[in-house]
C-alpha cells in the first residue's frame, strides 16, 4: 500500500512536471509571438510615418498652388468691370494662364495603408487613436476629392467660355507658349482682346465661383487634411519612440 502511494505521488509529480513544461513552452511561444507581432506593428508604423510624411509635403504643395492662383485670380477679379480698355492685355493673359493652367489636385502618396486595409491587417495596429485617425483620413480624402472636382468643373466652364470668346492662339503668343507646339507660326489670323473677357459679367461670375471654391480648399479642406496627417505622425512617434 505504501509502495502504491509512493507510485501515485511519483506519477502525479511527473504529470505536474509535464504540465509545468507545457505551460512554460506555451508562455515562451506566446511571448515570442507578442514580440513578433510588436516588431511587425513597429515596421507598419514606420512605413505609415514615411507615407504620411510624404502626404504632408503634398498638402504643402497644393496649398502653395492655391496661394499662387489666388494672387493672379484676384487680380483678374478686381480688374473686371465695364471699362477695361486701359488695362494691359499681356498682363491679363499671363494672369489668366497662371490662374487656370494647373488647379490644385492632391495626389495621395502610395504606401502601406492601402495594403493594410486590403489585407485586413489594420488590426495589427494596436493604438486605437491611430486606427481612428486613419479611418478619418479616408473620409477627409473623399471630401477633398469632391471639392477639387467642383473646382475643376468651374475651370472647365471658364475654359469653355474663353474658347468661344477669345483667340487661344493669341493668348499663347502673348505668354510665349506658341513655340512649345511644333509647326505653329506666330501669325494671328483671328485677333482678339483679352480685356473683353473682363468686361463680361458672365466671365466675372465664373471666375468668382472658381476663386470661392479655391479659397474653400485652401482655408478649410487642406488644413483639415494637414491636421489629420500631423496627428497621425504624432501618435506614431509616441508608439515607436
Amino acid at each position: 500500500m505504501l509502495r502504491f502511494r509512493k507510485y501515485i505521488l511519483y506519477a502525479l509529480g511527473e504529470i505536474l512536471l509535464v504540465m509545468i513544461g507545457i505551460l512554460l513552452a506555451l508562455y515562451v511561444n506566446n511571448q515570442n509571438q507578442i514580440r513578433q507581432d510588436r516588431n511587425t506593428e513597429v515596421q507598419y508604423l514606420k512605413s505609415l510615418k514615411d507615407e504620411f510624411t510624404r502626404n504632408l509635403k503634398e498638402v504643402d504643395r497644393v496649398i502653395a498652388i492655391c496661394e499662387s492662383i489666388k494672387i493672379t485670380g484676384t487680380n483678374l477679379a478686381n480688374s473686371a468691370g465695364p471699362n477695361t480698355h486701359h488695362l494691359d492685355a499681356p498682363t491679363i493673359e499671363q494672369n489668366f494662364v497662371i490662374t487656370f493652367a494647373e488647379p490644385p489636385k492632391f495626389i495621395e502618396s502610395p504606401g502601406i495603408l492601402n495594403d493594410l486595409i486590403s489585407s485586413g491587417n489594420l488590426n495589427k495596429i494596436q493604438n486605437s487613436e491611430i486606427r481612428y485617425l486613419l479611418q478619418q483620413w479616408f473620409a477627409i480624402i473623399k471630401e477633398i476629392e469632391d471639392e477639387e472636382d467642383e473646382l475643376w468643373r468651374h475651370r472647365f466652364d471658364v475654359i469653355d467660355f474663353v474658347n468661344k470668346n477669345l483667340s487661344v492662339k493669341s493668348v499663347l503668343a502673348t505668354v510665349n507658349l506658341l513655340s512649345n507646339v511644333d509647326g505653329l507660326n506666330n501669325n494671328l489670323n483671328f485677333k482678339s482682346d483679352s480685356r473683353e473677357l473682363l468686361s463680361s459679367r458672365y466671365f466675372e461670375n465664373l471666375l468668382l465661383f472658381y476663386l470661392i471654391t479655391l479659397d474653400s480648399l485652401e482655408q478649410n479642406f487642406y488644413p483639415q487634411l494637414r491636421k489629420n496627417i500631423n496627428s497621425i505622425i504624432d501618435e506614431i512617434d509616441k508608439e515607436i519612440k
Side-chain angles (χ1 to χ4, degrees):
M1 189 67 178
L2 181 60
R3 182 180 298 178
F4 179 75
R5 289 181 179 176
K6 288 182 178 180
Y7 175 78
I8 293 297
L9 291 174
Y10 175 80
L12 290 174
E14 288 293 321
I15 293 172
L16 182 61
L17 287 174
V18 171
M19 291 179 62
I20 292 174
I22 293 173
L23 291 174
L24 284 173
L26 290 174
Y27 175 78
V28 170
N29 288 337
N30 185 54
Q31 291 301 308
N32 288 336
Q33 187 63 49
I34 289 174
R35 281 194 295 270
Q36 183 178 340
D37 290 345
R38 177 56 180 168
N39 289 336
T40 300
E41 180 186 11
V42 169
Q43 291 304 313
Y44 283 154
L45 291 173
K46 288 181 177 179
S47 297
L48 283 170
K49 181 179 179 180
D50 291 341
E51 178 177 344
F52 280 91
T53 299
R54 293 191 297 270
N55 283 328
L56 188 60
K57 292 179 180 178
E58 175 65 6
V59 172
D60 291 337
R61 184 188 72 86
V62 292
I63 289 177
I65 291 175
C66 288
E67 292 172 349
S68 175
I69 290 176
K70 280 179 67 175
I71 293 173
T72 55
T74 300
N75 287 339
L76 289 175
N78 290 338
S79 300
N83 300 312
T84 58
H85 62 277
H86 63 286
L87 299 175
D88 181 59
T91 299
I92 293 173
E93 291 168 2
Q94 288 173 353
N95 285 339
F96 181 88
V97 169
I98 294 173
T99 301
F100 297 104
E102 187 188 1
K105 189 71 174 177
F106 179 83
I107 301 174
E108 183 179 354
S109 175
I112 192 66
L113 179 57
N114 288 330
D115 290 341
L116 288 175
I117 298 296
S118 60
S119 64
N121 285 329
L122 187 59
N123 59 359
K124 297 287 187 182
I125 307 299
Q126 297 298 309
N127 187 306
S128 59
E129 181 64 18
I130 294 177
R131 293 201 306 271
Y132 171 73
L133 290 169
L134 292 176
Q135 291 166 354
Q136 273 195 325
W137 163 263
F138 290 106
I140 297 172
I141 286 293
K142 180 61 171 63
E143 291 176 349
I144 285 177
E145 288 176 348
D146 291 343
E147 192 72 3
E148 287 176 339
D149 288 345
E150 181 71 16
L151 179 71
W152 280 75
R153 281 193 291 271
H154 292 313
R155 173 184 181 266
F156 290 141
D157 289 341
V158 172
I159 299 300
D160 181 64
F161 180 78
V162 170
N163 286 338
K164 295 174 181 177
N165 294 277
L166 191 68
S167 167
V168 174
K169 191 175 184 181
S170 175
V171 174
L172 293 176
T174 302
V175 295
N176 299 317
L177 290 179
L178 275 180
S179 59
N180 292 350
V181 183
D182 291 338
L184 280 182
N185 59 43
N186 292 321
N187 297 329
L188 300 179
N189 300 318
F190 297 96
K191 302 288 186 176
S192 63
D193 191 336
S194 59
R195 290 173 292 191
E196 295 177 2
L197 285 179
L198 296 183
S199 64
S200 165
R201 181 179 297 172
Y202 183 61
F203 175 79
E204 181 187 47
N205 290 342
L206 294 177
L207 175 59
L208 289 177
F209 283 129
Y210 179 80
L211 290 177
I212 290 170
T213 308
L214 182 80
D215 185 71
S216 177
L217 278 167
E218 182 192 9
Q219 300 296 327
N220 300 312
F221 288 86
Y222 291 146
Q224 183 184 13
L225 187 63
R226 176 192 271 163
K227 180 180 178 181
N228 176 265
I229 293 173
N230 281 324
S231 296
I232 290 172
I233 293 175
D234 288 344
E235 286 297 323
I236 290 175
D237 284 337
K238 294 176 185 177
E239 281 291 310
I240 63 178
K241 66 180 180 179

